């Protein structure tokens, strides 16, 4: 009897870490022992692996079996180690050549009958394995399309343990699968079914949405029910360009880890739209979990839109928990077992009614809320949170005449998206040689040196800064929006018109 080694991958957040799986079949009381900080699901792999091997018509070693997962100090979670444990044991027992199992990575959960079941997080796991040269990764057939998205990796899809073992024993060509060849261009299941032309009577809000999409800016809409706040937010993703390949892989990896990746689409190449209910907990928004830390809504909205309708109804501590990801573009979830960091760079869209009753505040007397009650209601949105909102728009009810007049000015999402794409291309050309792609990503240091507008253009902003109506953080956000307005206008640098318009959007005076 001997020792056989193979490799698998464990996930820390959305990062794959290589795990070496060693199996020793030797003298001693028959049994299988797992060491290397396995969790409950991994500890149960002993019974799944034994049943899968026996039901695949291979003899089970009547000896003491020790399986070690290295590095031993790294916690291992999940059932994706089943396949690696099985082939390591079969290699140590001499049923398959030990040298054949040493190189590939093995991922997959085994059924009791030997079938290979799909697992979460295959894409980030394969990305982690791809850090090694000339990698071969064995995955369940159901995960093959997702794994094949990673370039320069040989993906071997298998349906069951017996198919894999026979391939390892023969040493011939691996099992064939349609997606084993070079992956096709990314597809998306999220085909837009809504259009910006559906929203009539809100020209200022539509313009704010265009600016929001062009520069990745955050937006707050305040207005009574029925004015189109939700309609506007739902149409924001239709204005955003498709994700670049690296961003698409990021988003797909997060959704794969969360277990919400659409089964009919191997990748997500459209900006996601996430709209949690106001009863969602902080863990649901930020991410968390008692044993396995899962990404929350802010990470599921990465490179897309996070829409929080009825924002004042969310608990205040949940709203304030958004402040860190809005600044850093990532969120860190700390637990006793360690800290996990998820990417979380999204466009935040808040919508709020003016008061709790949400009745019209007109001469009909529908709203009975006092000014104090209204202030207390909107005061649930803290000052530091609103300071991180680039644009604030008041959405009012439109009369029949205003609705009829605005119909001739509405534009389709495709028309506005074309202008957004041109503005983003201008910004990308300006940021050539930097890690930034949109105006919202410009750091404060660069904003006040290389990208600072002229003193004449800054005059409206510095006046508000001197009077105390604008904070230093608000100053940065106004300048970023001014650059986006400049890109949409096709200009080289912002002038007073752009900075004044950006200041009005930040102060909420454009509605």
């Amino acid at each position: 009897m001997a020792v056989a080694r193979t490799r698998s991958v464990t996930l820390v957040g959305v990062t794959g870490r290589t795990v070496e799986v060693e199996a020793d079949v030797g003298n001693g009381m028959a049994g299988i022992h797992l060491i290397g900080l396995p969790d409950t699901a991994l500890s149960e792999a002993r019974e799944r692996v034994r049943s899968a091997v026996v039901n695949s018509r291979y003899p089970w070693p009547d000896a003491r079996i020790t399986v070690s997962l290295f590095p031993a100090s790294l916690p291992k979670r999940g059932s994706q180690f089943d396949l690696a444990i099985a082939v390591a044991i079969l290699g140590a027992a001499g049923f398959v050549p030990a040298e054949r199992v040493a190189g590939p990575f093995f991922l997959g959960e085994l059924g009791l009958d030997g079938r290979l079941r799909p697992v979460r997080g295959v894409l980030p796991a394969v990305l982690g394995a791809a850090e090694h040269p000339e990698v071969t990764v064995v995955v369940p057939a159901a995960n093959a399309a997702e794994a094949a998205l990673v370039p320069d990796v040989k993906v071997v899809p298998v349906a069951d343990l017996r198919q894999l073992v026979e391939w390892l024993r023969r040493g011939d060509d691996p099992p064939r699968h349609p997606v084993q060849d070079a992956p096709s261009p990314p597809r998306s299941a999220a085909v837009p079914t809504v259009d910006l032309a559906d929203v009539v009577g809100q020209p200022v809000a539509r313009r704010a949405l265009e600016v929001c999409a062009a520069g990745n800016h955050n937006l707050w809409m305040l207005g009574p029910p029925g004015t189109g706040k939700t309609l506007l937010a739902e149409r924001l993703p239709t204005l955003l360009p498709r994700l670049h390949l690296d961003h698409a892989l990021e988003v797909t990896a997060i959704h794969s880890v969360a277990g919400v990746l659409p089964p009919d689409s191997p990748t997500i190449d459209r900006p996601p739209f996430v709209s949690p209910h106001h009863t969602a907990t902080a863990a649901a928004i930020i991410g968390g979990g008692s044993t396995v830390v899962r990404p929350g809504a802010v990470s599921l909205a990465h490179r897309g839109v996070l829409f929080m309708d009825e924002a004042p109804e969310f608990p205040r501590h949940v709203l304030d928990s958004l402040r860190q990801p809005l600044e850093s573009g990532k969120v860190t979830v700390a637990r006793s077992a360690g800290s996990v960091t998820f990417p979380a760079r999204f466009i935040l869209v808040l919508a709020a009614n003016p008061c709790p009753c949400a009745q019209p505040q007109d001469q009909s007397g529908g709203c009975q809320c006092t000014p104090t009650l209204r202030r207390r209601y909107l005061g649930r949105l803290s000052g530091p949170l609103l300071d991180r909102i680039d644009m604030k728009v008041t959405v009012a009810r439109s009369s029949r005449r205003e609705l009829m007049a605005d119909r001739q000015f509405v534009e389709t999402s495709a028309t506005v998206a074309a202008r957004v794409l041109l503005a983003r291309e201008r910004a990308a050309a300006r940021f050539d040689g930097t890690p930034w792609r949109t105006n919202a990503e410009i750091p404060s240091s660069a904003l006040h040196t290389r990208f600072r507008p002229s003193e004449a253009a800054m005059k409206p902003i510095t006046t508000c800064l001197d009077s105390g109506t604008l904070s230093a953080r608000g100053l940065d956000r106004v300048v970023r929006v001014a650059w986006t307005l400049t890109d949409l206008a096709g200009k080289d640098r912002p002038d007073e018109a752009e900075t004044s318009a950006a200041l009005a959007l930040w102060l909420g005076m454009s509605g």
Side-chain angles (χ1 to χ4, degrees):
M1 299 297 181
V3 174
R5 297 178 178 85
T6 189
R7 296 184 291 183
S8 188
V9 181
T10 188
L11 294 177
V12 180
V14 291
T15 304
R17 298 277 300 275
T18 300
V19 173
E20 186 174 299
V21 180
E22 295 179 309
D24 173 56
V25 178
N27 297 325
M29 185 177 295
I32 179 171
H33 306 274
L34 281 177
I35 56 176
L37 292 184
D39 70 343
T40 302
L42 182 51
S43 297
E44 292 172 350
R46 294 175 293 188
E47 304 304 324
R48 289 194 300 271
V49 169
R50 184 182 185 280
S51 296
V53 170
V54 172
N55 290 326
S56 297
R57 299 191 298 276
Y58 296 113
W60 183 256
D62 186 18
R64 178 183 176 88
I65 303 172
T66 304
V67 178
S68 173
L69 307 176
F70 176 84
S73 58
L74 180 67
K76 323 297 187 309
R77 300 183 177 91
S79 57
Q80 71 270 18
F81 295 97
D82 287 6
L83 190 59
I85 292 173
V87 296
I89 291 174
L90 292 174
F95 298 125
V96 296
E99 65 276 6
R100 292 272 295 161
V101 304
F105 285 77
F106 294 89
L107 300 168
E109 176 182 338
L110 285 170
L112 298 183
D113 58 354
R115 285 183 296 176
L116 203 54
R117 303 182 185 276
V119 292
R120 297 182 177 188
V122 165
L123 177 58
V126 177
L127 286 170
E131 297 178 359
H132 301 269
E134 299 182 1
V135 170
T136 298
V137 182
V138 179
V139 299
N143 291 127
E146 181 183 348
L149 293 171
V150 183
D152 302 323
V153 173
K154 182 180 180 181
V155 177
V156 179
V158 294
D160 53 54
L161 181 62
R162 186 167 187 83
Q163 181 187 27
L164 173 62
V165 171
E166 292 306 311
W167 168 59
L168 292 173
R169 294 177 70 175
R170 291 194 307 266
D172 54 5
D173 292 336
R176 298 294 299 169
H177 193 277
V179 299
Q180 185 174 328
D181 301 327
S184 58
R187 306 189 308 274
S188 175
V191 178
T193 58
V194 296
D195 198 279
L196 188 61
D198 302 334
V199 186
V200 182
Q202 301 296 345
V204 175
R206 292 200 306 269
R207 173 62 174 174
L209 221 62
E210 180 179 346
V211 177
C212 190
N216 258 38
H217 302 295
N218 303 317
L219 176 66
W220 179 35
M221 294 182 288
L222 177 66
T227 53
K229 301 187 297 293
T230 302
L231 291 178
L232 287 161
E234 290 174 344
R235 281 145 183 81
L236 178 56
T238 66
L239 308 183
L240 299 172
R242 287 181 179 269
L243 299 174
H244 296 279
L245 179 58
D246 55 342
H247 290 173
L249 291 177
E250 280 182 350
V251 173
T252 305
I254 295 170
H255 285 243
S256 177
V257 169
V260 295
L261 189 66
D264 57 342
S265 178
T267 187
I268 299 175
D269 70 322
R270 290 185 180 273
F273 179 82
V274 180
S275 179
H277 194 261
H278 63 261
T279 57
T281 63
I285 299 296
I286 298 300
S290 56
T291 55
V292 179
V293 179
R294 300 293 184 196
V298 296
S299 296
L300 294 175
H302 181 59
R303 304 295 178 185
V305 179
L306 176 65
F307 175 50
M308 306 187 77
D309 199 6
E310 309 291 347
E313 299 293 342
F314 283 82
R316 182 158 182 167
H317 73 280
V318 172
L319 292 171
D320 285 340
S321 66
L322 299 173
R323 287 152 58 179
Q324 180 209 357
L326 284 175
E327 287 293 327
S328 62
K330 58 186 177 181
V331 61
T332 300
V333 181
R335 293 293 183 266
S336 59
S339 298
V340 176
T341 299
F342 295 107
R345 188 170 297 279
F346 54 89
I347 298 175
L348 176 64
V349 179
L350 302 175
N353 296 318
C355 62
C357 74
Q359 296 298 318
Q361 299 177 22
D362 52 26
Q363 296 178 356
S364 64
C367 177
Q368 302 296 324
C369 297
T370 64
T372 302
L373 184 60
R374 294 191 191 110
R375 285 196 302 269
R376 186 181 300 120
Y377 180 70
L378 294 179
R380 297 177 185 177
L381 302 175
S382 66
L385 176 62
L386 292 180
D387 215 26
R388 290 167 168 84
I389 304 299
D390 305 75
M391 298 181 292
K392 307 171 182 69
V393 176
T394 300
V395 184
R397 293 183 183 274
S398 301
S399 65
R400 182 176 65 87
R401 181 173 297 179
E402 290 171 332
L403 290 173
M404 296 299 293
D406 189 46
R407 289 189 183 278
Q408 60 182 321
F409 297 107
V410 295
E411 297 175 300
T412 64
S413 291
T415 302
V416 179
R419 291 200 300 267
V420 167
L421 184 59
L422 285 175
R424 288 199 171 211
E425 288 174 350
R426 292 189 185 101
R430 186 169 62 250
F431 299 144
D432 188 34
T434 71
W436 320 311
R437 294 187 179 179
T438 61
N439 292 314
E441 301 175 35
I442 309 175
S444 181
S445 57
L447 202 62
H448 296 291
T449 52
R450 178 179 172 185
F451 300 107
R452 182 177 177 85
S454 65
E455 291 303 319
M458 290 289 292
K459 186 176 179 181
I461 304 176
T462 54
T463 301
C464 288
L465 192 64
D466 293 337
S467 65
T469 57
L470 186 67
S471 66
R473 182 186 291 114
L475 168 66
D476 291 349
R477 295 193 174 270
V478 169
V479 175
R480 292 184 182 114
V481 174
W483 272 108
T484 300
L485 293 171
T486 302
D487 292 329
L488 287 169
K491 297 181 179 180
D492 293 330
R493 295 192 72 82
D495 56 25
E496 189 171 344
E498 281 72 40
T499 55
S500 297
L503 182 61
L505 285 168
W506 190 87
L507 293 173
M509 298 170 57
S510 59

